[in-house]
Amino acid sequence: MYLAFNDLVTLFSDFKGVKEADHLYFTITDNAAVAQPRGLFIPLNDNSGELLDAIANGAIAAIWERNKPIPKYAPNHFPIFFTDNPIEGMTQLLRFYYEKINGDNAKKMNVTKFVFLNKKLLKENKETYDIAVMLEKGLLKNTNDNSEGRE
């Protein structure tokens, strides 16, 4: 089950760009330089790279810090979701997605790939962005105390 445009609207109601209800995000990353087919780009710091590179590598939307100017080259139709704190936004997104896939009964499904290369965040989060591992280690607070994962 891929993360979808409507999922992001649930988390980030302030956005600009075209409303693409059928957008599915196959990749989520903080690094503009990596291949991100049907990607959602989240620049977490100055080392994340440029939005232009993320678009060239497959990004079809971005989560953007509210007070940071959007580059003039950003296409008008390109969906940009605004947050006051990108790291908190990313954490909300991880929690939301974990709950979304945890509620699905399918044994095999397509899932969104999370690729975070920010070394500082990796150090703070015990070098993993695997949602199940993060929950197991208590790095994300599970909101419903049901932390059983997929088989």
Side-chain angles (χ1 to χ4, degrees):
M1 178 178 306
Y2 293 114
L3 192 67
F5 178 87
N6 288 335
D7 297 330
L8 290 177
V9 171
T10 300
L11 294 169
F12 309 100
S13 59
D14 184 14
F15 70 95
K16 75 175 241 33
V18 69
K19 295 178 183 177
E20 293 288 345
D22 62 341
H23 265 191
L24 297 176
Y25 304 103
F26 297 172
T27 308
I28 298 175
T29 186
D30 70 332
N31 188 328
V34 300
Q36 44 193 291
R38 296 196 60 84
L40 175 66
F41 176 56
I42 309 173
L44 296 177
N45 61 34
D46 293 337
N47 296 328
S48 290
E50 296 294 323
L51 179 60
L52 186 62
D53 294 329
I55 293 170
N57 284 313
I60 59 172
I63 295 176
W64 204 258
E65 188 173 351
R66 189 178 321 278
N67 62 1
K68 184 177 176 183
I70 299 169
K72 293 187 188 296
Y73 56 74
N76 289 334
H77 66 281
F78 188 82
I80 297 179
F81 300 88
F82 296 101
T83 181
D84 291 325
N85 184 325
I87 294 173
E88 284 181 22
M90 177 199 58
T91 303
Q92 289 175 328
L93 184 65
L94 287 167
R95 279 190 202 121
F96 178 90
Y97 188 67
Y98 176 79
E99 290 176 14
K100 179 177 178 171
I101 64 170
N102 202 32
D104 195 309
N105 293 326
K107 290 290 181 191
K108 292 192 178 208
M109 70 174 93
N110 293 322
V111 292
T112 299
K113 180 179 179 180
F114 290 80
V115 181
F116 288 95
L117 302 175
N118 183 312
K119 290 180 183 178
K120 181 179 177 189
L121 287 175
L122 289 174
K123 184 177 179 183
E124 290 173 6
N125 289 319
K126 311 292 190 234
E127 300 186 17
T128 185
Y129 276 96
D130 181 298
I131 297 171
V133 173
M134 290 174 76
L135 284 170
E136 184 177 301
K137 292 185 176 187
L139 298 172
L140 291 176
K141 302 276 189 237
N142 193 353
T143 56
N144 62 6
D145 292 332
N146 180 8
S147 60
E148 291 181 20
R150 298 197 151 295
E151 294 181 358

